[in-house]
Amino acid sequence: MSPLHKTIAVLPGDGIGPEVIRAATSILETCAAEFGHHFDLIELPFGGTAIDGCGAPLPSETLEACRSAAAILLGAAGGPRWDDLPLSQRPEAGLLALRKALELYANLRPIDLREALRGISPLRLERTRKIHLEIVRELAGGIYFGPHRLEAENGAEFAVDTERYTTGEIERVTRVAFERAASRSGRLTSVDKANVLASSVLWRKTATRLASDYPGVSLQHMYVDNAAMQLTLAPEQFDVIVTSNLFGDILSDAAAALVGSIGLVPSMSCGFGPPLFEPIHGSAPSLAGKDVACPIGAILCASMMLREAFGLAIEAEWIEAALDSVLDQGYRTADLAEPGCQAVGCAGFARLVCGEMLASLEHQERYGWGV
Ligand code: IPM
Ligand code: MG
């Protein structure tokens, strides 16, 4: 592959966002230096930090820079400092506005049990059991974007949130999921609550209709409550899961816990605008600024960007192999610590991964790949 020149919009955001994004950009910079790529990393204000500095969580210059970038790398939004603001003015509103403005309707969350971290999975799985699934979460519609109202009637407060899906919105995200399943093991589970919700009845009907376009994929439907239980009891039964915005938000945190920590999971949001990569953890305000956050979700965002957005599969594999090797050597951030492991900080962990990337390249130059 010849060297690429790409502009990446970098939105560190709040809490641990800046620390984990620094880890991810150090990986991208190491990759660029070694493979001759050129990544222009443009850092932009976003989230609560942008509320404080520019008066809005998604300043228009940030949005415009995102629109013209090849990809976006985002840390996290939110924190107690902004928790008393109305919903529409909070840092999280900036995140939702960015997803909506770029019409990023499909959010892919790969959930993989890394061999070195098998011991911290709460499931205590024996060696033969794997967790290797992907949640495709609808991201630009549903209850997140329906009207949110808090009102009073005869002195009593009431609140309304609305789940609304059009056939077209369900169809476009479900097609992404069918395609992902077709390129994996060919199993797709559509998760809904079609025994109660009209939006889920439409969801199920649409997914069923599309199945005939993908003869290589077997589709099953599952109610969301059962899906939560099945994920915990037998996660290996799943390959690709497709579901609504809210159900996907909930199930992806639960699934992340199964592989050890929410800090381990990256995500890619795709649709009409440039793809957006963000770890699924939040801003974790209590950990911010202490150099203890786990950068693995963010590092995997970097490799996911290289593979999925730029077609750089070799570079992505090289990063992930280096990450696994650092874990195999027993280095862990505090949240992943097990007896006998060596605790390191967020920045130190990223330095180890970069060091391992360089060491494996040197080894490869001397002895060839795979030796
Ligand atoms: C996520 C997060 C966000 C969401 C929050 C921060 C608004 O939980 O990306 O999963 O609910 O989408
Ligand atoms: Mg979430």
PDB file of all heavy atoms in Angstrom, residues 109 137 144 249-250 252-253 262 280, ligand 2:
ATOM      1  N   ARG A 109     -19.696  -1.600  17.431  1.00  0.00           N
ATOM      2  CA  ARG A 109     -18.963  -1.784  18.684  1.00  0.00           C
ATOM      3  C   ARG A 109     -18.465  -3.231  18.768  1.00  0.00           C
ATOM      4  O   ARG A 109     -19.224  -4.130  19.136  1.00  0.00           O
ATOM      5  CB  ARG A 109     -19.872  -1.447  19.874  1.00  0.00           C
ATOM      6  CG  ARG A 109     -20.354  -0.013  19.808  1.00  0.00           C
ATOM      7  CD  ARG A 109     -21.085   0.482  21.031  1.00  0.00           C
ATOM      8  NE  ARG A 109     -21.078   1.955  21.005  1.00  0.00           N
ATOM      9  CZ  ARG A 109     -21.466   2.741  21.976  1.00  0.00           C
ATOM     10  NH1 ARG A 109     -21.922   2.223  23.105  1.00  0.00           N
ATOM     11  NH2 ARG A 109     -21.397   4.059  21.871  1.00  0.00           N
ATOM     12  N   ARG A 137     -25.305  -0.571  16.508  1.00  0.00           N
ATOM     13  CA  ARG A 137     -26.306   0.236  17.211  1.00  0.00           C
ATOM     14  C   ARG A 137     -26.795   1.352  16.300  1.00  0.00           C
ATOM     15  O   ARG A 137     -25.971   2.086  15.732  1.00  0.00           O
ATOM     16  CB  ARG A 137     -25.627   0.818  18.466  1.00  0.00           C
ATOM     17  CG  ARG A 137     -26.395   1.903  19.160  1.00  0.00           C
ATOM     18  CD  ARG A 137     -25.555   2.557  20.271  1.00  0.00           C
ATOM     19  NE  ARG A 137     -26.279   3.659  20.854  1.00  0.00           N
ATOM     20  CZ  ARG A 137     -25.748   4.563  21.661  1.00  0.00           C
ATOM     21  NH1 ARG A 137     -24.477   4.498  22.012  1.00  0.00           N
ATOM     22  NH2 ARG A 137     -26.487   5.550  22.147  1.00  0.00           N
ATOM     23  N   TYR A 144     -33.439   8.800  21.494  1.00  0.00           N
ATOM     24  CA  TYR A 144     -32.423   9.832  21.729  1.00  0.00           C
ATOM     25  C   TYR A 144     -32.804  11.146  21.048  1.00  0.00           C
ATOM     26  O   TYR A 144     -32.440  12.218  21.506  1.00  0.00           O
ATOM     27  CB  TYR A 144     -31.061   9.381  21.181  1.00  0.00           C
ATOM     28  CG  TYR A 144     -30.218   8.609  22.162  1.00  0.00           C
ATOM     29  CD1 TYR A 144     -30.671   7.419  22.712  1.00  0.00           C
ATOM     30  CD2 TYR A 144     -28.962   9.068  22.532  1.00  0.00           C
ATOM     31  CE1 TYR A 144     -29.891   6.712  23.605  1.00  0.00           C
ATOM     32  CE2 TYR A 144     -28.173   8.365  23.426  1.00  0.00           C
ATOM     33  CZ  TYR A 144     -28.641   7.187  23.948  1.00  0.00           C
ATOM     34  OH  TYR A 144     -27.869   6.479  24.832  1.00  0.00           O
ATOM     35  N   ASP A 249     -27.087   1.133  23.320  1.00  0.00           N
ATOM     36  CA  ASP A 249     -26.303   1.811  24.361  1.00  0.00           C
ATOM     37  C   ASP A 249     -26.190   0.912  25.584  1.00  0.00           C
ATOM     38  O   ASP A 249     -25.102   0.722  26.142  1.00  0.00           O
ATOM     39  CB  ASP A 249     -26.999   3.136  24.725  1.00  0.00           C
ATOM     40  CG  ASP A 249     -26.231   3.896  25.793  1.00  0.00           C
ATOM     41  OD1 ASP A 249     -25.003   4.026  25.669  1.00  0.00           O
ATOM     42  OD2 ASP A 249     -26.866   4.345  26.765  1.00  0.00           O
ATOM     43  N   ILE A 250     -27.306   0.325  25.977  1.00  0.00           N
ATOM     44  CA  ILE A 250     -27.334  -0.490  27.201  1.00  0.00           C
ATOM     45  C   ILE A 250     -26.589  -1.813  26.993  1.00  0.00           C
ATOM     46  O   ILE A 250     -25.725  -2.195  27.792  1.00  0.00           O
ATOM     47  CB  ILE A 250     -28.799  -0.743  27.620  1.00  0.00           C
ATOM     48  CG1 ILE A 250     -29.494   0.588  27.941  1.00  0.00           C
ATOM     49  CG2 ILE A 250     -28.861  -1.693  28.819  1.00  0.00           C
ATOM     50  CD1 ILE A 250     -31.002   0.509  28.038  1.00  0.00           C
ATOM     51  N   SER A 252     -24.328  -2.633  24.891  1.00  0.00           N
ATOM     52  CA  SER A 252     -22.889  -2.561  24.636  1.00  0.00           C
ATOM     53  C   SER A 252     -22.096  -2.355  25.925  1.00  0.00           C
ATOM     54  O   SER A 252     -20.983  -2.864  26.057  1.00  0.00           O
ATOM     55  CB  SER A 252     -22.547  -1.523  23.565  1.00  0.00           C
ATOM     56  OG  SER A 252     -22.997  -0.253  23.931  1.00  0.00           O
ATOM     57  N   ASP A 253     -22.646  -1.640  26.889  1.00  0.00           N
ATOM     58  CA  ASP A 253     -21.943  -1.542  28.181  1.00  0.00           C
ATOM     59  C   ASP A 253     -21.922  -2.906  28.872  1.00  0.00           C
ATOM     60  O   ASP A 253     -20.906  -3.316  29.448  1.00  0.00           O
ATOM     61  CB  ASP A 253     -22.622  -0.524  29.113  1.00  0.00           C
ATOM     62  CG  ASP A 253     -22.117   0.902  28.888  1.00  0.00           C
ATOM     63  OD1 ASP A 253     -21.595   1.182  27.790  1.00  0.00           O
ATOM     64  OD2 ASP A 253     -22.253   1.738  29.806  1.00  0.00           O
ATOM     65  N   ILE A 262     -15.287  -1.725  30.364  1.00  0.00           N
ATOM     66  CA  ILE A 262     -15.813  -0.819  29.349  1.00  0.00           C
ATOM     67  C   ILE A 262     -14.679  -0.007  28.699  1.00  0.00           C
ATOM     68  O   ILE A 262     -14.818   0.511  27.599  1.00  0.00           O
ATOM     69  CB  ILE A 262     -16.870   0.092  30.005  1.00  0.00           C
ATOM     70  CG1 ILE A 262     -17.711   0.791  28.964  1.00  0.00           C
ATOM     71  CG2 ILE A 262     -16.238   1.060  30.967  1.00  0.00           C
ATOM     72  CD1 ILE A 262     -18.742   1.699  29.561  1.00  0.00           C
ATOM     73  N   ILE A 280     -16.062   3.522  23.819  1.00  0.00           N
ATOM     74  CA  ILE A 280     -17.450   3.584  24.311  1.00  0.00           C
ATOM     75  C   ILE A 280     -17.544   4.022  25.770  1.00  0.00           C
ATOM     76  O   ILE A 280     -18.623   4.273  26.275  1.00  0.00           O
ATOM     77  CB  ILE A 280     -18.214   2.252  24.094  1.00  0.00           C
ATOM     78  CG1 ILE A 280     -17.795   1.181  25.110  1.00  0.00           C
ATOM     79  CG2 ILE A 280     -18.054   1.738  22.681  1.00  0.00           C
ATOM     80  CD1 ILE A 280     -18.816   0.052  25.204  1.00  0.00           C
TER      81      ILE A 280
HETATM   82 MG    MG B   2     -23.163   4.392  26.396  1.00  0.00          MG
END
